[in-house]
Amino acid sequence: MNMTPQRWDNTNTYLREVFGKQDSVLGGLMPAAIAAGIPAIAVSADVGRLLHLLVQLACARPGATGRVIELGTLAGYSGIWIARALPPGGKLITIEPEPKHADFAQRMFAAAGVADRVEIRRTTGIAALHDLARELGPQSVDAVFLDAIKTEYPEYFRLAHPLIGRGGLLLADNVLGSGNWWIDEAAPGEARESRDAADRFNRMVADDPDFEAAAVPIREGVLIARRR
Ligand SMILES: C[S@@+](CC[C@H](N)C(=O)[O-])C[C@H]1O[C@@H](n2cnc3c(N)ncnc32)[C@H](O)[C@@H]1O
């Protein structure tokens, strides 16, 4: 079957229609964020549900801590999907250096009724991972979701690797593309750097003997890797 551009669009529409059902808090979140001047770069609803399902699985395994890290909060859309998957007593630590985004997300976490289990850290992904390694120690989290600066993905992986417990998950959005690049080609400059970093990251995770990895071509590509 040829994957024409039309069929790709139709497939994404179908996936959102069938697997992207969401409540009014999630449905209204990004329109309100965009009206407030926040960019429309959240994951789609079908990716949100995939994250939700994977976090449920990671947190259900024996020895789970109920702790999840997200790099790149934006308006809190993916964070709410993740927070709603946590077991009782679980916690999402989500990282966002842009004050406008963090303030908006804080209000959305309250509106969604998950503020008690979400901590926003207003710092960069790399600084946060250094801090969390010191604070929490090795193999202390059930899942890490990467969705911040694409050129930093290889460094995020290096820093997140020791934090993830056995059977825990590394998840990453945009491993096949983003607004201005796709994995099979990229415009010059920044787009090329993002594409090359995503390619490096994918190969690093795929070749790492500590992880079993796959990527699914849903929306802009989601990597799923389980620590052995
Ligand atoms: C693609 S958006 C995240 C979308 C969000 N995960 C969602 O799907 O709802 C990327 C976010 O990363 C934030 N960001 C920018 N620089 C960062 C950095 N160095 N570390 C962590 N996050 C950063 C941006 O401000 C933006 O809010």
Side-chain angles (χ1 to χ4, degrees):
M1 190 62 67
N2 286 335
M3 189 52 88
T4 61
Q6 186 62 59
R7 177 162 282 139
W8 180 256
D9 281 352
N10 293 346
T11 303
N12 276 304
T13 303
Y14 175 83
L15 289 174
R16 279 198 301 274
E17 181 192 323
V18 177
F19 298 105
K21 293 198 174 66
Q22 54 189 349
D23 69 5
S24 59
V25 174
L26 284 168
L29 192 153
M30 281 316 294
I34 292 161
I38 293 174
I41 51 173
V43 299
S44 54
D46 49 336
V47 172
R49 183 169 301 284
L50 177 66
L51 297 173
H52 181 87
L53 172 65
L54 292 169
V55 167
Q56 277 181 333
L57 292 171
C59 291
R61 69 196 208 289
T65 60
R67 210 179 276 129
V68 176
I69 298 170
E70 172 183 61
L71 304 192
T73 314
L74 191 68
Y77 183 81
S78 55
I80 292 171
W81 278 106
I82 293 169
R84 286 177 171 174
L86 296 173
K91 185 171 176 188
L92 168 66
I93 300 171
T94 183
I95 312 303
E96 179 55 62
E98 171 58 54
K100 181 176 176 172
H101 299 177
D103 290 346
F104 188 94
Q106 188 66 65
R107 291 197 297 279
M108 293 303 111
F109 291 137
V114 297
D116 59 334
R117 68 196 96 136
V118 181
E119 176 191 344
I120 304 178
R121 294 202 178 184
R122 295 163 184 254
T123 183
T124 65
I126 288 176
L129 288 171
H130 280 291
D131 292 346
L132 289 165
R134 270 193 306 274
E135 286 170 37
L136 304 176
Q139 309 220 352
S140 54
V141 305
D142 296 336
V144 176
F145 173 49
L146 308 182
D147 196 15
I149 306 293
K150 310 310 160 193
T151 50
E152 294 182 354
Y153 273 29
E155 184 67 357
Y156 295 158
F157 177 52
R158 198 181 66 76
L159 295 170
H161 186 301
L163 279 164
I164 300 170
R166 290 174 80 122
L169 297 176
L170 174 74
L171 308 169
D173 193 28
N174 299 111
V175 300
L176 295 178
S178 190
N180 57 358
W181 60 270
W182 201 255
I183 202 69
D184 63 335
E185 62 175 4
E190 201 189 312
R192 160 130 249 132
E193 283 172 31
S194 294
R195 182 249 164 243
D196 289 354
D199 179 46
R200 229 170 28 254
F201 167 77
N202 288 336
R203 292 174 193 278
M204 276 170 79
V205 184
D207 292 344
D208 191 310
D210 291 338
F211 283 86
E212 191 71 56
V216 287
I218 175 174
R219 191 171 161 267
E220 291 172 324
V222 177
L223 176 134
I224 303 167
R226 179 175 180 272
R227 183 163 190 150
R228 294 194 167 104

